[in-house]
Amino acid sequence: MAAAAGQARLFYDGDCALCHGAVRWILPRDRGRPPLRFSPLGGDTARRLLPDGGRELPDSVVALTPAGEALTRWRALRYLLRRCGPLGRLAAAGAGLVPVRLGDELYDAVARRRRRWFGTAEQVCPVLPEPLRARFDP
């Protein structure tokens, strides 16, 4: 299933404080054109655009490229960093030195502990300024 032409998206775990923090970090730094759209993984947009409605994908972060490719774990992290200006591209290049399999293992280790370490979205009050809310879909 492909995304709208030219539209990249970030799907995130709407209950995870770390995921909300990542979204808040990416929002002002995203340099891609058009800018990323954001949606929770359990939302209508994810069910409509992700392969199998996102049911077979990890429950943390999924990046959907303009070509419709769903990237997960280490590949999603690198893709998102590349969109975040020069420092993000530098970080993505550094992450590119890590083999994908090892990167996925590191990603999974953090993902398993993220709620214990960072809490849930209710604990961090993920309220965004009005101009940024326009980039979110249900």
Side-chain angles (χ1 to χ4, degrees):
M1 219 173 275
Q7 186 64 66
R9 293 183 178 271
L10 171 58
F11 296 95
Y12 61 96
D13 178 352
D15 296 323
C16 168
L18 176 61
C19 298
H20 276 273
V23 167
R24 285 194 308 271
W25 187 87
I26 292 168
L27 263 166
R29 290 169 179 83
D30 178 31
R31 302 290 183 259
R33 293 292 170 247
L36 279 169
R37 302 284 308 166
F38 297 85
S39 302
L41 274 167
D44 293 336
T45 304
R47 283 190 288 278
R48 187 170 39 88
L49 294 179
L50 290 174
D52 294 324
R55 288 183 301 275
E56 300 297 321
L57 297 171
D59 69 347
S60 51
V61 172
V62 176
L64 190 63
T65 69
E69 183 181 7
L71 304 172
T72 61
R73 300 157 65 194
W74 199 247
R75 286 182 177 98
L77 177 69
R78 290 185 55 222
Y79 173 79
L80 294 166
L81 284 170
R82 281 193 298 270
R83 294 182 60 98
C84 292
L87 291 177
R89 286 190 298 277
L90 183 62
L97 299 175
V98 177
V100 172
R101 184 172 175 172
L102 176 60
D104 282 350
E105 289 176 18
L106 291 169
Y107 184 96
D108 289 344
V110 172
R112 279 191 301 275
R113 296 167 180 88
R114 69 187 191 273
R115 288 190 178 93
R116 183 175 45 217
W117 291 347
F118 299 97
T120 62
E122 294 82 28
Q123 294 169 316
V124 296
C125 188
V127 177
L128 295 169
E130 186 63 38
L132 296 178
R133 287 185 211 160
R135 291 176 56 191
F136 285 78
D137 297 314

